[in-house]
Amino acid sequence: MASILNTPAFGILLSIAAFEIGILISKRTKSPLMNPLLVGIVIVILVLMGTGIPKSSYDLGGSFILFLLGPATVVLALPLYRQIEMLKKDMFPILAGILAGSVTSILSVVLLSRLFGVDIAVAVSMIPKSVTTAIGMEISKEIGGIVSVSVAVIVLTGITGAVIGPGLLKIFHIKDEVAQGVAIGTASHAVGTSKAMELGETQGAMSGLSIGIAGLATVILAPLLMGLL
């Protein structure tokens, strides 16, 4: 057992098993709250806490999964390529929507953090909450945030968007497929995009596009707007 714990196999197998259990629970319960990623995270935490296995042992394999975040994000370009004509047609409204969403995401963190007196280090760490993890981690490092807090907030934001996003679109009667994809992708990055793809190929393509552009916008805007803290 000790030999397995000291290899990447443990972290990789535990992550896969936890996520597969999450998928099973999600299908059985049919509840949006039982998001497979959220369930998988809880299972991994419970296993590590219950067995006393150090996080460092899990990280041997977990780091490999983290490395794959970048390539996995790039794969989202495929549905975008299939909808390239639509992007050309509505380029300016799409870019304006993504930029507005990125600015709103950062300003919401700044304003709410000042309102509730959140510690400056924590507030800075939450600024990249709406960009995908691979980009958000680097932004957090650059602006002096706590990377572990940033990752936790990014995951929570993504899951929240995937869970409540479709419902909010219905409440506010947002029926345009492009607008749906841009809204979900800009607010809740890759996790939200997985839900957008369930809504339709157009939504998935626009959501995937939003991930990259929102990440770029946040890289530029975060150092400028964080001064408001």
Side-chain angles (χ1 to χ4, degrees):
M1 184 65 180
S3 59
I4 296 178
L5 293 179
N6 292 323
T7 66
F10 170 70
I12 294 172
L13 291 175
L14 176 58
S15 298
I16 293 174
F19 188 70
E20 287 297 325
I21 293 173
I23 292 175
L24 180 62
I25 293 175
S26 179
K27 289 181 177 178
R28 290 286 180 86
T29 61
K30 299 186 183 303
S31 170
L33 296 177
M34 293 293 103
N35 181 278
L37 179 59
L38 177 60
V39 174
I41 291 173
V42 172
I43 291 174
V44 169
I45 293 174
L46 290 177
V47 169
L48 295 181
M49 292 180 63
T51 59
I53 296 175
K55 180 176 175 292
S56 57
S57 295
Y58 172 77
D59 283 342
L60 292 175
S63 59
F64 280 89
I65 297 175
L66 183 62
F67 171 77
L68 293 174
L69 282 174
T73 302
V74 174
V75 170
L76 294 172
L78 178 58
L80 173 61
Y81 174 75
R82 292 173 177 168
Q83 300 291 333
I84 192 67
E85 292 303 321
M86 182 175 294
L87 173 60
K88 292 178 180 178
K89 178 183 176 182
D90 298 317
M91 179 179 295
F92 291 110
I94 290 172
L95 293 179
I98 296 172
L99 180 60
S102 298
V103 171
T104 300
S105 173
I106 297 173
L107 289 180
S108 66
V109 171
V110 171
L111 296 176
L112 291 173
S113 295
R114 294 191 64 177
L115 178 63
F116 293 103
V118 176
D119 181 79
I120 185 69
V122 175
V124 169
S125 304
M126 293 192 294
I127 284 179
K129 67 180 180 63
S130 289
V131 299
T132 193
T133 308
I135 300 174
M137 291 174 63
E138 296 305 317
I139 294 175
S140 182
K141 293 176 184 177
E142 289 297 322
I143 62 178
I146 305 169
V147 176
S148 57
V149 173
S150 296
V151 171
V153 174
I154 289 170
V155 171
L156 181 60
T157 301
I159 293 173
T160 302
V163 171
I164 71 174
L168 289 176
L169 294 176
K170 291 180 179 179
I171 291 174
F172 291 100
H173 303 289
I174 300 175
K175 299 180 180 180
D176 184 85
E177 294 179 348
V178 173
Q180 290 178 343
V182 169
I184 293 177
T186 303
S188 49
H189 48 82
V191 181
T193 297
S194 65
K195 175 58 67 173
M197 287 181 171
E198 295 178 11
L199 299 179
E201 185 168 323
T202 299
Q203 291 92 325
M206 293 302 105
S207 187
L209 169 67
S210 300
I211 293 175
I213 298 178
L216 177 60
T218 305
V219 167
I220 298 172
L221 294 171
L224 300 175
L225 297 179
M226 67 173 287
L228 298 173
L229 286 170

